[in-house]
Amino acid sequence: MTYANSAPADESINSGDRETEIELPPRPLMVHSAFVFTLLYTAFHVYWAVGGTWGLPLWGQHNQSEVQAVNWVVSAIMLCGALWVLALLHPVARRVPAWIVLLPLWGAAVVCISHAFFGWVTKGLYLAGMKSAVDFPVVPGVSAATADKENHLSAVIDILVFEPCFLIQGLVLAMAAWQFIRTAANRRRWVWSLVVGVVLVDLFGVTLSLAGLKFAIG
């Protein structure tokens, strides 16, 4: 697949922006990186979908059927996301309004990046002794000592493995979309919209947490 270079199609995504268009690189590294990393991250969910348990929190280990069902759905969504990213290289991506192409990538990037920051803060506070920072569900039949040990391990794995994966996933998606955009002004708008989106999502999470409501644990 190759980028389309026709002027009429390219102009359609810039909403009247008459700046000189940025020349696209012959090898769109960020698009390929986002595609490959999304597939690799999908492998985690496929692993859980087929019954794997490493990295699952205590609740997930005791609710295998629900975890498997959810992860089959997540795997399918992520596969579609990988194909959507790859579609940035197809000429048809230049023939539709920019927001149709970019909105799903914006949403995914904001969710992933905000998840990483929120997770690092809450899991860090949990490991520092503020147990209320993370709402790990109580699993019937599991002793308090075992639950504390498993929840501690889950928080460590999240901080060292899964939150970095969320951050990388969000960044490569954001950069793939940034590379697709053809003017400097629109690229700046894209970056600032991501920053605002991440800040708002994390502020929403903090607000819910302070109100004693559940936001996310994984």
Side-chain angles (χ1 to χ4, degrees):
M1 295 181 181
T2 58
Y3 280 108
N5 292 315
S6 61
D10 293 338
E11 289 173 0
S12 67
I13 74 163
N14 289 309
S15 302
D17 196 333
R18 297 180 180 178
E19 289 185 77
T20 301
E21 290 181 349
I22 298 170
E23 183 178 354
L24 294 170
R27 296 179 181 177
L29 177 62
M30 294 315 304
V31 174
H32 291 147
S33 298
F35 173 72
V36 171
F37 191 83
T38 302
L39 290 182
L40 291 175
Y41 204 16
T42 302
F44 269 120
H45 294 282
V46 172
Y47 165 74
W48 291 321
V50 298
T53 59
W54 184 87
L56 288 177
L58 184 62
W59 178 89
Q61 297 174 27
H62 286 74
N63 292 272
Q64 280 279 185
S65 59
E66 292 180 42
V67 169
Q68 287 181 267
V70 168
N71 278 284
W72 278 123
V73 174
V74 173
S75 298
I77 293 173
M78 292 191 69
L79 179 58
C80 291
L83 295 175
W84 187 275
V85 171
L86 195 61
L88 292 176
L89 304 181
H90 198 283
V92 73
R94 293 287 169 187
R95 301 192 185 107
V96 297
W99 69 269
I100 294 178
V101 178
L102 298 178
L103 184 59
L105 297 178
W106 183 89
V110 166
V111 168
C112 289
I113 296 172
S114 61
H115 191 296
F117 289 141
F118 190 83
W120 273 324
V121 172
T122 56
K123 305 297 169 49
L125 290 173
Y126 179 87
L127 294 177
M130 188 182 295
K131 301 301 182 181
S132 61
V134 181
D135 183 18
F136 286 110
V138 175
V139 179
V142 177
S143 68
T146 298
D148 284 343
K149 179 181 177 180
E150 291 294 324
N151 291 340
H152 184 277
L153 177 60
S154 180
V156 171
I157 292 175
D158 279 353
I159 286 177
L160 297 181
V161 179
F162 296 123
E163 301 305 353
C165 284
F166 270 107
L167 180 61
I168 294 171
Q169 178 73 81
L171 291 177
V172 293
L173 289 174
M175 289 302 297
W178 179 88
Q179 195 171 56
F180 173 81
I181 299 169
R182 297 294 296 273
T183 68
N186 282 338
R187 285 182 170 183
R188 288 193 296 271
R189 294 186 192 105
W190 173 255
V191 172
W192 279 109
S193 71
L194 289 171
V195 172
V196 171
V198 169
V199 170
L200 290 178
V201 170
D202 280 340
L203 285 177
F204 178 70
V206 170
T207 301
L208 289 184
S209 295
L210 292 176
L213 301 175
K214 181 177 177 182
F215 178 56
I217 65 165

